[in-house]
Amino acid sequence: MSTEVRTDAGRLWSRLMDMAKVGATSGGGSNRQALSDDDQAGRDLFIEWVQQAGCSIELDGVGNLFARRSGTDPDAPPVVMGSHLDTQPTGGRFDGVYGVLGGLEVIEALNDASVSTRAPLEVAVWTNEEGSRFPVSMMGSAVWAGVSDLDSIRALTDRSGVTVGAELDRLGWSGTAAFGKPLSAYLELHIEQGPILEASGSSIGVVTGVQGIRWFEVTFEGFAAHAGTTPMDRRRDPARALADTLHGVYELAAADADRVRVTPAQFASEPASPNTVPSKVSFTVDMRHPDAAGLDRLEAALRSLVAEAADQHGCGHRIDVINDCAPVVFDPRCGGAVEAAARLCGFAFEHIGSGAGHDACHVAMRAPAGMIFIPCQDGLSHNEEESIEPDDAGRGADVLLHAALELAGVADDTANAGRTTEC
Ligand code: HGY
Ligand code: MN
Ligand code: MN
């Protein structure tokens, strides 16, 4: 029986557009922040679709969701495809969502062609990948992989003081599935979120690994004083320490522009009154570098910048590391399966490192993991105007399909299926 197995790019695109209606922003993007009602609504829509596709569902203790399609060997560890449904506050319609719905499309295509896999397939939806509302990114996969413990993650608060634990319980996301179960492999389909594939004309990125990520929260403590009566030379103004530090942080990036990324953000000041010198200012800095030693050098430089600026302006200071994800090299077998799938489909591909963090970074600590990229317009992401081409979305899903078949094995009764398709 020679069965054509192919994904349906039209079905995938219409699902992406339906999901984009959940938490849609006026600027044409998405705002489904982690553990919000909109995040729940997005999951409800996904659950409806996967149950229609015959999948069973399980949740673990931090709300990671796994939709399972049985294989002919129930004891074989599953091949998991996945990503996230939560978004930035002014996020795009494809970051994360594309990988989750791409995994669903693979299951639909196999159902349409009545192809069974030997190992079960699962689609994972990881909780709070973005780390925007609750500031630990790739949070759900960090707990699943044992990088973070559940109790400390449940105690994390958003800026209004609501805890992760309270939201998990409110939404009913505190499931019982075991963390870190054995997987045959993990594949994450994602938009590149950068300009490389679009510039080179490649349709597919075979992702080799992810650069290191480290987030800091920096606080300067000064002395509140009257804006009008206090002479400039008699102030202990934390905003001036902030300004000097910011200048130095951007100089660090300029000194090694090809490899270093620094992003100061989340600025706050107290008492936040226009006519009072602040008593305290704080901000976050996201630092990235391809290797761990480079990240350590950046951290050391930040610490001395902060200490010097604080001393210069008579302020106290503290630095907290609030997120730390070491550089990751993905499993060559997964990369090989992605490359073979791109060749089978006849798509132009190239090997590429990821500038963005992904849940695959944490899964890679427990199982063979790989990623597939497709181009996005102008390399733009974490912006409401994030955009991809429907044909590129279809090509990525086809590569995910054939890479997953390679890794899960096609059951004997449909042995010649899945390899004869024109992608
Ligand atoms: O921060 C990142 O790189 C990812 O988009 N969460
Ligand atoms: Mn993402
Ligand atoms: Mn993102």
Side-chain angles (χ1 to χ4, degrees):
M1 177 182 72
S2 158
T3 314
E4 285 251 316
V5 180
R6 56 187 331 131
T7 61
D8 178 337
R11 174 172 55 198
L12 172 58
W13 190 258
S14 81
R15 283 199 165 135
L16 284 165
M17 293 303 105
D18 285 346
M19 183 61 80
K21 292 172 193 150
V22 181
T25 66
S26 55
S30 297
N31 179 12
R32 286 192 306 278
Q33 293 185 57
L35 295 160
S36 65
D37 291 339
D38 282 324
D39 195 11
Q40 175 69 64
R43 282 201 177 194
D44 288 344
L45 184 56
F46 174 71
I47 289 168
E48 183 190 319
W49 286 333
V50 288
Q51 285 178 332
Q52 284 165 358
C55 293
S56 59
I57 303 267
E58 64 172 13
L59 274 179
D60 68 18
V62 73
N64 296 318
L65 186 151
F66 302 90
R68 184 181 179 96
R69 179 184 195 252
S70 304
T72 53
D73 177 357
D75 300 328
V79 168
V80 177
M81 305 167 283
S83 196
H84 58 96
L85 290 176
D86 68 294
T87 73
Q88 290 283 327
T90 52
R93 297 172 295 163
F94 306 102
D95 173 5
V97 189
Y98 171 55
V100 172
L101 299 187
L104 168 60
E105 180 50 40
V106 165
I107 286 179
E108 296 276 24
L110 294 173
N111 288 348
D112 292 346
S114 307
V115 168
S116 306
T117 55
R118 193 184 54 73
L121 294 180
E122 292 187 0
V123 181
V125 181
W126 301 105
T127 301
N128 186 27
E129 188 280 341
E130 292 293 358
S132 172
R133 178 185 175 196
F134 297 103
V136 169
S137 68
M138 296 93 84
M139 184 192 83
S141 55
V143 177
W144 181 89
V147 172
S148 302
D149 74 277
L150 181 57
D151 289 344
S152 60
I153 289 295
R154 281 181 60 89
L156 263 181
T157 61
D158 65 10
R159 283 186 291 285
S160 59
V162 177
T163 64
V164 166
E167 292 291 74
L168 285 171
D169 298 343
R170 177 178 72 87
L171 296 169
W173 288 16
S174 303
T176 55
F179 295 131
K181 70 186 177 194
L183 308 183
S184 293
Y186 174 76
L187 290 172
E188 184 158 354
L189 176 63
H190 208 287
I191 62 172
E192 179 201 335
Q193 300 179 291
I196 296 168
L197 295 179
E198 186 183 52
S200 64
S202 299
S203 301
I204 296 293
V206 182
V207 188
T208 52
V210 182
Q211 66 179 341
I213 304 170
R214 208 168 287 172
W215 292 1
F216 304 89
E217 180 161 47
V218 178
T219 306
F220 289 111
E221 310 244 351
F223 189 73
H226 196 293
T229 56
T230 315
M232 295 309 284
D233 62 359
R234 290 180 53 179
R235 298 179 180 203
R236 290 195 288 120
D237 183 352
R240 297 199 64 176
L242 165 68
D244 291 356
T245 304
L246 285 184
H247 177 72
V249 160
Y250 285 113
E251 288 295 297
L252 291 174
D256 188 356
D258 287 347
R259 297 189 303 167
V260 172
R261 301 280 185 277
V262 294
T263 311
Q266 282 193 333
F267 298 93
S269 83
E270 290 174 17
S273 161
N275 52 357
T276 299
V277 176
S279 55
K280 185 162 84 168
V281 299
S282 64
F283 66 105
T284 58
V285 193
D286 172 318
M287 292 186 140
R288 312 240 177 158
H289 195 285
D291 62 64
L295 265 184
D296 291 342
R297 283 195 302 276
L298 285 171
E299 176 169 351
L302 175 67
R303 288 185 181 281
S304 69
L305 278 170
V306 168
E308 218 172 284
D311 189 39
Q312 171 87 20
H313 298 289
C315 296
H317 71 278
R318 64 172 287 153
I319 300 180
D320 296 297
V321 179
I322 55 175
N323 202 19
D324 192 356
C325 195
V328 169
V329 176
F330 286 135
D331 175 81
R333 191 169 65 89
C334 290
V338 171
E339 183 173 329
R343 287 186 197 283
L344 176 77
C345 293
F347 299 152
F349 67 90
E350 65 183 273
H351 292 85
I352 183 174
S354 176
H358 301 283
D359 292 303
C361 298
H362 288 140
V363 180
M365 295 176 183
R366 304 288 299 236
M371 289 193 74
I372 305 162
F373 277 172
I374 65 163
C376 56
Q377 204 158 321
D378 304 329
L380 186 64
S381 185
H382 286 194
N383 181 299
E384 293 166 293
E385 293 176 30
E386 180 184 275
S387 170
I388 61 173
E389 292 298 326
D391 288 349
D392 283 329
R395 281 189 276 270
D398 274 329
V399 170
L400 180 65
L401 166 68
H402 291 288
L405 284 175
E406 173 86 14
L407 294 166
V410 179
D412 288 346
D413 61 335
T414 53
N416 59 356
R419 316 312 290 164
T420 59
T421 189
E422 292 301 309
C423 294

